[in-house]
Amino acid sequence: DIPLEEEEDTNKTKEEVEKVLQNSDLSPGVYEGGFKLWECSIDLIHYLEETSFSFEGKTVLELGCGHGLPALYALKKGASVVHFQDFNEQVIEQLTIPNVIKNFPSFPKSKTKFYSGDWESLNKWFGESEEHKYDVILTSDTLYNPAYYPRLSSIIHDHLSPKGIAFVAAKSYYFGIGGSTRQFSQIIENYPTLELTKGKLFDDGSSNIREILKLSLSS
């Protein structure tokens, strides 16, 4: 009954995903780690709480949502519309939607939509519809693969509302994979109308250094 909308069937078979899950946290283009709870999503919620960021009446999109915790936080804080996206349909159906139902047993279905597929296809599917201009875009631990940076930066650029803000929570460097906030920042420089600022640095001396980046459209 909850709307699951797909812009294009780019998902791999369940058998392929299940095979990957036996040996790895992710496999590019097959399974992008959505079943695992990544620490930067918790960082993002803490940051939003610490800064008393207001979601009241705002439209929200979470990219690479997995469990969907930041988007659920936005829903609890009064967001008017919350859309969830993950690469794998299985993650949306088996994890994201059940998690939303668990937290909001009787929530208004008109407030939520769910999408699966890659960001490039989703961006094209969204088109120039005003419905898909968001006041807030959330994403966490999605900077692990530099090959995805152009797609991520493009969908943020194209679907952030004029006065909107995007929050990107990520490790400063993804060891073994090669992604980093520095490389992502360099990609953002290709968009003159996107302004990037740093919100917070998490450095406890024992775990990976993590950051909150903020993106907005210049006036």
Side-chain angles (χ1 to χ4, degrees):
D1 294 333
I2 299 175
L4 170 60
E5 299 194 7
E6 296 181 64
E7 74 289 352
E8 185 177 314
D9 186 12
T10 57
N11 297 294
K12 303 299 181 181
T13 65
K14 291 182 179 180
E15 291 77 13
E16 288 179 288
V17 173
E18 289 169 359
K19 185 177 180 180
V20 171
L21 285 170
Q22 294 173 7
N23 303 299
S24 176
D25 286 332
L26 58 89
S27 177
V30 178
Y31 166 66
E32 298 293 348
F35 282 114
K36 181 174 179 177
L37 179 57
W38 300 90
E39 60 188 335
C40 288
S41 63
I42 305 301
D43 290 340
L44 181 52
I45 293 171
H46 287 164
Y47 176 77
L48 294 168
E49 183 71 16
E50 290 170 5
T51 58
S52 301
F53 182 80
S54 175
F55 283 99
E56 191 66 37
K58 292 178 179 175
T59 58
V60 178
L61 169 67
E62 184 177 1
L63 296 169
C65 63
H67 290 72
L69 298 187
L72 284 169
Y73 175 82
L75 203 54
K76 284 181 176 290
K77 291 294 185 176
S80 60
V81 169
V82 177
H83 292 174
F84 300 76
Q85 178 275 338
D86 197 89
F87 180 81
N88 291 102
E89 180 181 358
Q90 295 96 312
V91 171
I92 291 290
E93 291 183 338
Q94 298 173 27
L95 179 63
T96 313
I97 291 176
N99 210 20
V100 173
I101 293 173
K102 182 177 181 180
N103 283 274
F104 295 91
S106 58
F107 74 97
K109 296 175 183 178
S110 60
K111 284 189 172 186
T112 60
K113 287 186 179 179
F114 302 85
Y115 302 95
S116 62
D118 72 275
W119 294 325
E120 184 176 16
S121 298
L122 184 67
N123 198 0
K124 292 177 181 177
W125 190 86
F126 277 175
E128 297 182 4
S129 168
E130 286 300 314
E131 178 189 1
H132 299 296
K133 294 288 186 181
Y134 297 93
D135 299 318
V136 184
I137 295 178
L138 306 169
T139 190
S140 54
D141 267 318
T142 51
L143 300 189
Y144 56 87
N145 190 337
Y148 299 155
Y149 293 177
R151 304 175 199 177
L152 179 59
S153 56
S154 181
I155 197 169
I156 291 174
H157 173 269
D158 294 348
H159 298 287
L160 195 62
S161 67
K163 294 185 179 181
I165 185 167
F167 294 96
V168 180
K171 297 176 179 65
S172 295
Y173 186 78
Y174 287 83
F175 295 96
I177 307 175
S180 68
T181 53
R182 180 184 60 80
Q183 288 175 279
F184 181 69
S185 299
Q186 291 173 341
I187 294 294
I188 294 301
E189 291 176 3
N190 295 327
Y191 296 86
T193 57
L194 269 182
E195 295 182 353
L196 184 150
T197 57
K198 293 189 176 183
K200 184 171 182 178
L201 186 72
F202 297 85
D203 184 5
D204 59 14
S206 60
S207 57
N208 288 331
I209 298 174
R210 307 182 304 279
E211 301 177 47
I212 304 292
L213 306 178
K214 299 189 293 182
L215 294 169
S216 58
L217 294 171
S218 57
S219 54

